Amino acid sequence: MKDQIPVSFRSLSKKFGKVTALDNVSIEIEAGQIVGLIGDNGSGKSTMLRHIVGVYLPTSGISETFGVPSHKMDGEILERIGYVNQESSLISWMKVRDLIEYVSLFYKNWNSELVNEYVRDFEIQPEKRISALSPGEVQRVSILLAIAYEPELLVLDEPAASLDPIARSKFLDTIMNIIQRDNRTVIISSHILTDIEKIVDRIVILKKGRILENCPFDDLRDRYVELTFTAIGNGTIPEKIPLKTVREIKRDKNCLIAIVEGAEAGMIEDLSGKLSCEIKERHLTLDEIYCIMAGKEKEGGKR
């Protein structure tokens, strides 16, 4: 049904022998979002995505895609899902043009106009054989094949890893265009966090098979701020910042830079008056936020 939640995990665990790849994961991903899935290598990102598309069976718990067990999806539901992984495997002896035509036969919603637009914008060479393509070119073709039938749910596992910066920029524009259409949902896993933060609505952070964070990206950005304290006139920089949520501090003779969690506007203005300092604020990048959160987890700190 069209109103089903695209992805739902309930107490999902996955083990490979003695290795636990996912550990009691529960999450729902609603329609109309771009969700960024991030974490270290081995955190369980690919395992999670492969459950969504029905490649893996849960060891325990439930994985549902569009309201049915993911591993039991029929052809009608599979037509609603596009999937791209980092290790794209295409039929090597076929020409790009022939592969596109072959794959189009399986999808009634195939959009030839979108294909032509993508071929042009990404400079895909239809007469080339797949075996003659570079890794980046193979990835472009894989993305094309996944979006050409306009799936409701697009699952992307490191889709831009082999793309050059210009192609990555065009790819991100493509994702933004896709999400505008009829409540589409995109789940993207990537180590290129500078790309992720440009497009996502929600961030899910995995750590050792568990969900470390699941929240709107704007909320995560508002949680941490970098404050630069500069002495005014002949004033001096204080030895300590009277805040309980200071995570990191760097200092020199004339300024102090502090990473603060949960700072509010009124609190910062109050500090400026008390310390006789000029205080400048900066939102952290997703890369910086992730390093702080991953570091806190290693130290056993509270979130």
Side-chain angles (χ1 to χ4, degrees):
M1 298 294 292
K2 295 291 183 181
D3 58 351
Q4 290 286 356
I5 292 174
V7 175
S8 177
F9 289 171
R10 297 192 292 280
S11 301
L12 177 68
S13 293
K14 179 64 177 179
K15 293 184 178 182
F16 299 96
K18 296 182 179 180
V19 177
T20 300
L22 291 178
D23 187 4
N24 198 34
V25 171
S26 294
I27 188 172
E28 285 190 348
I29 295 175
E30 299 180 354
Q33 299 183 87
I34 303 180
V35 178
L37 182 62
I38 65 176
D40 296 341
N41 290 332
S43 61
K45 302 186 301 298
S46 294
T47 302
M48 182 173 173
L49 297 182
R50 287 169 185 169
H51 276 84
I52 294 173
V53 298
V55 174
Y56 285 162
L57 282 168
T59 301
S60 62
I62 296 171
S63 169
E64 290 184 344
T65 308
F66 290 119
V68 304
S70 303
H71 63 283
K72 293 184 178 180
M73 290 185 290
D74 58 20
E76 184 177 349
I77 295 179
L78 288 170
E79 282 192 26
R80 299 165 64 184
I81 304 169
Y83 176 52
V84 177
N85 62 53
Q86 187 176 2
E87 300 169 355
S88 298
S89 180
L90 304 178
I91 304 174
S92 61
W93 56 266
M94 294 188 80
K95 290 184 177 181
V96 173
R97 177 198 60 209
D98 297 332
L99 179 61
I100 292 172
E101 184 176 350
Y102 171 70
V103 174
S104 72
L105 300 176
F106 295 92
Y107 297 96
K108 57 180 177 289
N109 293 326
W110 193 264
N111 187 333
S112 296
E113 183 176 335
L114 178 62
V115 170
N116 293 334
E117 177 183 328
Y118 189 97
V119 166
R120 182 185 65 250
D121 290 347
F122 284 80
E123 300 178 353
I124 290 175
Q125 302 178 60
E127 297 304 316
K128 263 192 169 183
R129 293 194 185 277
I130 299 298
S131 59
L133 300 180
S134 69
E137 290 172 323
V138 170
Q139 200 74 349
R140 294 180 197 181
V141 175
S142 298
I143 294 169
L144 165 61
L145 296 176
I147 68 173
Y149 49 96
E150 300 185 280
E152 294 173 49
L153 171 62
L154 187 58
V155 179
L156 304 168
D157 191 359
E158 297 288 347
S162 300
L163 301 183
D164 59 65
I166 294 176
R168 288 210 321 269
S169 178
K170 290 180 180 179
F171 167 68
L172 296 177
D173 289 341
T174 300
I175 297 302
M176 293 303 294
N177 289 333
I178 288 172
I179 202 70
Q180 304 301 323
R181 305 171 187 170
D182 303 324
N183 222 24
R184 310 284 177 179
T185 305
V186 178
I187 305 172
I188 178 170
S189 166
S190 177
H191 285 104
I192 309 173
L193 302 191
T194 51
D195 287 349
I196 286 277
E197 67 182 342
K198 293 175 184 176
I199 60 172
V200 296
D201 306 306
R202 177 171 286 274
I203 287 290
V204 176
I205 301 177
L206 286 179
K207 184 75 174 181
K208 296 181 180 178
R210 293 191 173 190
I211 293 179
L212 180 63
E213 188 60 78
N214 172 22
C215 70
F217 181 44
D218 286 344
D219 290 355
L220 191 60
R221 288 186 76 241
D222 290 341
R223 189 182 305 172
Y224 297 93
V225 64
E226 179 188 88
L227 303 179
T228 300
F229 297 78
T230 304
I232 297 175
N234 295 322
T236 59
I237 299 298
E239 288 298 318
K240 294 184 179 180
I241 303 298
L243 292 173
K244 294 181 179 179
T245 55
V246 176
R247 297 304 174 195
E248 295 179 9
I249 287 182
K250 297 177 182 178
R251 67 169 67 239
D252 60 26
K253 292 182 179 179
N254 298 312
C255 75
L256 179 150
I257 300 174
I259 304 297
V260 178
E261 181 177 356
E264 299 177 358
M267 180 191 305
I268 294 168
E269 291 174 5
D270 187 48
L271 268 181
S272 181
K274 286 181 179 179
L275 301 177
S276 298
C277 291
E278 178 186 8
I279 304 178
K280 293 184 179 180
E281 301 177 50
R282 180 181 72 86
H283 282 295
L284 301 187
T285 66
L286 179 56
D287 210 341
E288 291 170 322
I289 292 171
Y290 174 71
C291 288
I292 290 172
M293 297 191 71
K296 285 168 57 182
E297 181 70 9
K298 289 177 182 177
E299 296 166 5
K302 295 182 180 180
R303 288 193 286 118

